[in-house]
């Protein structure tokens, strides 16, 4: 399964040269991640209600080209590796003509209400099943 998040660049996202600042991409990837989780069927509202959090422990970005204002971008999000206690997400940002602007990998560990490592398969088997199903699509 993959989701596509549409991003409209804003003037405040850019540096003085009109190029999207590198610090904006992690915010956009969080937006894309929220859409991905909602599409899986485990939105951030659901997570918050259960006290579950996909804590990010690694973020790797690779800049390939520049994005500018005004420009429409599309972020494709899909799952990489996953297990009961961890999840990897992969992102790719493209322009309307298909040019790859940026790629990203985030790695998350599931934490529970006590902010400790959380086994999603044991504690929320129906939710873990949703991620298993999403990995096959």
């Amino acid at each position: 399964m993959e989701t596509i998040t549409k991003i409209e660049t804003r003037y405040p996202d850019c540096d003085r040269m009109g190029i999207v600042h590198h610090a904006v991409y992690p915010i956009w990837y969080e937006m894309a991640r929220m859409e991905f989780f909602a599409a899986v069927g485990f939105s951030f509202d659901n997570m918050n209600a259960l006290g579950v959090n996909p804590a990010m422990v690694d973020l790797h970005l690779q800049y390939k080209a520049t994005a500018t204002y005004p420009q429409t971008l599309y972020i494709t999000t899909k799952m990489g590796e996953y297990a009961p206690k961890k999840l990897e997400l992969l992102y790719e940002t493209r322009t309307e003509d298909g040019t790859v602007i940026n790629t990203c990998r985030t790695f998350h560990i599931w934490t529970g209400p006590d902010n400790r490592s959380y086994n999603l398969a044991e504690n929320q088997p129906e939710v873990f099943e949703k991620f298993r199903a999403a990995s096959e699509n």
Side-chain angles (χ1 to χ4, degrees), residues 16-101:
R16 290 175 52 196
M17 297 179 291
I19 297 171
V20 172
H21 192 272
H22 66 275
V24 175
Y25 289 92
I27 296 166
W28 290 348
Y29 290 128
E30 184 167 8
M31 294 165 57
R33 186 165 49 256
M34 291 178 81
E35 284 191 24
F36 181 83
F37 284 138
V40 166
F42 193 45
S43 70
F44 273 81
D45 287 343
N46 299 139
M47 291 179 202
N48 289 333
L50 295 171
V52 176
N53 183 39
M56 185 189 309
V57 296
D58 188 47
L59 168 73
H60 178 78
L61 296 129
Q62 192 167 38
Y63 301 95
K64 307 218 179 243
T66 58
T68 58
Y69 170 82
Q71 195 169 29
T72 302
L73 303 173
Y74 299 90
I75 300 173
T76 302
T77 307
K78 61 184 177 181
M79 285 176 47
E81 295 181 35
Y82 79 101
K85 294 184 177 186
K86 66 181 181 178
L87 174 68
E88 175 187 50
L89 295 174
L90 307 169
Y91 314 81
E92 186 174 73
T93 302
R94 292 182 177 267
T95 61
E96 287 186 301
D97 70 3
T99 302
V100 176
I101 298 293

Side-chain angles (χ1 to χ4, degrees), residues 37 42-55 84-85 87 109-121 123-128 131:
F37 284 138
F42 193 45
S43 70
F44 273 81
D45 287 343
N46 299 139
M47 291 179 202
N48 289 333
L50 295 171
V52 176
N53 183 39
K85 294 184 177 186
L87 174 68
I109 58 166
W110 291 107
T111 61
D114 60 358
N115 289 323
R116 294 185 184 270
S117 179
Y118 189 79
N119 187 315
L120 200 62
N123 295 295
Q124 302 294 330
E126 69 287 348
V127 173
F128 186 74
F131 283 96

